[in-house]
């Protein structure tokens, strides 16, 4: 009986963390023992301080993700967010390994990593599809397009003034906000910045959009959850100056003029996250966020 073809696994890591370089040799040994062929990002190859003494391919373009059975993302939540944007619509499943401090998205710890990898190698896993936001910005005659797994944030940037913004959904005016800004999040992002600003927790397998104002100058404006088929438009009337800051997953930043128009909707693809049948979202909330616990 012929041997099964080697699985193709990519590694995306936070190369600034010493823990990444400590764990990499153990991953390569595991790959060798399990008929796994590794693909490394150019960042890993360029930043290594020692010779890489195993056979590998280099992920040089985004289309190289098509060659992978799954991508192993080693770091914190920021590492997973950047990997998700890099994969984009290519639908490569991703498994997050927590090397950071909170690691809410990366539910697998270093201690449990090889148990999880053994299960993935045996196809003992499930795929959780997570909604992605598409954001098109028209700013000063220039059009820009972004995608976010967590959130799109619009705030006052370096200004000390509140900003005025008006939100429309499917052409209908929702509200005018005078606040430090707005957070437009996915269910995945509902446990990130939106939660800190008072937004609700939304289960990651739901399709919905959460709009959370940041420090609104009123008691009447509260977070709202709207259907995933909504097309949102945000404008900034009556602001004396520009300098409005847009952030994508807290990692990509742009500065907007007062006449900018921001359009946000559900992307036509989802990010595929690897999880396991015995994984419990509420356990993760409790362990990592303290959800449901009484004060001690």
């Amino acid at each position: 009986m012929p041997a099964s073809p080697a699985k193709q696994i990519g590694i995306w890591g936070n190369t600034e963390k010493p823990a990444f370089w400590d764990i990499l040799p153990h991953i390569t040994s595991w790959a060798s023992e399990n008929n796994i062929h590794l693909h490394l990002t150019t960042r890993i190859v360029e930043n290594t301080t020692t010779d890489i003494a195993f056979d590998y391919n280099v992920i040089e373009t985004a289309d190289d993700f098509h060659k992978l059975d799954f991508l192993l993302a080693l770091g914190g939540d920021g590492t997973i967010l950047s990997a998700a944007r890099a994969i984009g619509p290519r639908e490569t499943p991703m498994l997050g390994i927590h090397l950071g401090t909170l690691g809410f998205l990366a539910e697998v710890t270093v201690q449990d990593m090889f148990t999880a990898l053994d299960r993935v190698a045996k196809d003992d896993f499930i795929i959780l599809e997570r909604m992605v936001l598409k954001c098109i910005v028209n700013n000063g005659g220039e059009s820009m397009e972004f995608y976010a797994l967590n959130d799109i944030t619009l705030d006052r940037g370096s200004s000390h003034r509140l900003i005025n913004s008006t939100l429309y959904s499917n052409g209908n005016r929702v509200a005018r906000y005078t606040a430090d800004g707005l957070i437009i999040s996915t269910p995945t992002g509902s446990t990130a910045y939106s939660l800190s600003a008072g937004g609700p927790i939304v289960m990651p397998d739901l399709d919905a959009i959460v709009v959370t104002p940041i420090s609104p100058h009123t008691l009447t404006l509260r977070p709202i959850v709207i259907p995933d088929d909504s097309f949102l438009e945000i404008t900034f009337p009556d602001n004396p100056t520009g300098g409005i800051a847009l952030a994508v997953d807290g990692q990509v930043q742009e500065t907007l003029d007062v006449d900018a128009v921001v359009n946000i909707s559900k992307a036509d693809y989802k990010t595929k996250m690897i999880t396991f049948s015995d994984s419990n979202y509420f356990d993760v909330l409790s362990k990592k966020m303290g959800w449901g616990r009484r004060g001690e």
Side-chain angles (χ1 to χ4, degrees):
M1 183 175 179
S4 59
K7 286 187 179 295
Q8 308 295 315
I9 295 180
I11 296 182
W12 181 288
N14 185 341
T15 58
E16 296 180 0
K17 289 184 177 292
F20 171 78
W21 299 108
D22 292 340
I23 203 69
L24 184 59
H26 299 285
I27 295 175
T28 61
S29 296
W30 171 84
S32 177
E33 294 168 1
N34 288 274
N35 192 32
I36 303 290
H37 187 76
L38 294 179
H39 300 245
L40 307 181
T41 63
T42 54
R43 182 186 178 114
I44 294 172
V45 175
E46 292 170 357
N47 284 277
T48 184
T49 57
T50 60
D51 292 335
I52 302 178
F54 60 90
D55 186 31
Y56 66 92
N57 286 80
V58 180
I59 302 172
E60 295 182 305
T61 69
D63 285 338
D64 285 340
F65 289 115
H66 285 302
K67 304 174 183 177
L68 306 180
D69 292 303
F70 73 90
L71 182 70
L72 184 62
L74 295 115
D77 287 350
T79 303
I80 292 179
L81 293 172
S82 62
R85 289 197 307 277
I87 293 171
R90 294 162 191 87
E91 299 188 340
T92 304
M94 178 168 47
L95 175 65
I97 306 297
H98 172 217
L99 302 181
T101 52
L102 180 60
F104 187 75
L105 294 177
E107 61 181 74
V108 177
T109 65
V110 171
Q111 291 76 18
D112 299 330
M113 179 175 66
F114 290 105
T115 299
L117 287 176
D118 286 340
R119 294 180 67 175
V120 173
K122 297 174 184 176
D123 294 326
D124 178 21
F125 62 90
I126 57 179
I127 297 291
L128 177 61
E129 295 188 332
R130 294 184 179 242
M131 175 183 162
V132 175
L133 290 177
K134 178 181 179 180
C135 176
I136 298 177
V137 180
N138 292 300
N139 182 43
E142 180 183 1
S143 180
M144 300 174 285
E145 185 172 291
F146 305 99
Y147 291 86
L149 176 59
N150 256 7
D151 50 41
I152 303 292
T153 301
L154 298 154
D155 64 38
R156 59 184 183 167
S158 60
S159 172
H160 297 292
R161 301 175 65 101
L162 299 176
I163 62 172
N164 298 309
S165 58
T166 302
L167 173 68
Y168 300 87
S169 176
N170 296 333
N172 299 310
R173 183 180 183 275
V174 177
R176 175 188 169 100
Y177 298 86
T178 298
D180 281 353
L182 288 178
I183 305 165
I184 317 297
S185 75
T186 64
T188 298
S190 72
T191 52
Y193 190 10
S194 176
L195 181 65
S196 299
I201 294 173
V202 181
M203 294 287 289
D205 53 349
L206 294 177
D207 281 351
I209 301 174
V210 181
V211 180
T212 304
I214 307 170
S215 301
H217 194 240
T218 176
L219 295 175
T220 60
L221 284 174
R222 289 294 178 261
I224 184 171
V225 180
I226 58 180
D228 67 305
D229 60 355
S230 302
F231 288 86
L232 305 183
E233 180 178 283
I234 303 167
T235 59
F236 308 96
D238 304 325
N239 286 286
T241 60
I244 298 163
L246 177 144
V248 181
D249 285 339
Q251 296 178 330
V252 179
Q253 291 88 31
E254 292 289 340
T255 301
L256 307 184
D257 299 330
V258 292
D259 60 352
V261 178
V262 178
N263 293 282
I264 298 175
S265 60
K266 179 177 67 173
D268 59 3
Y269 71 88
K270 293 186 177 182
T271 294
K272 294 187 174 182
M273 300 288 293
I274 291 176
T275 187
F276 302 96
S277 58
D278 53 356
S279 179
N280 185 324
Y281 180 73
F282 298 105
D283 282 344
V284 176
L285 275 178
S286 177
K287 291 176 182 177
K288 298 191 176 184
M289 307 289 280
W291 185 80
R293 299 181 189 174
R294 295 188 65 179
E296 297 179 356

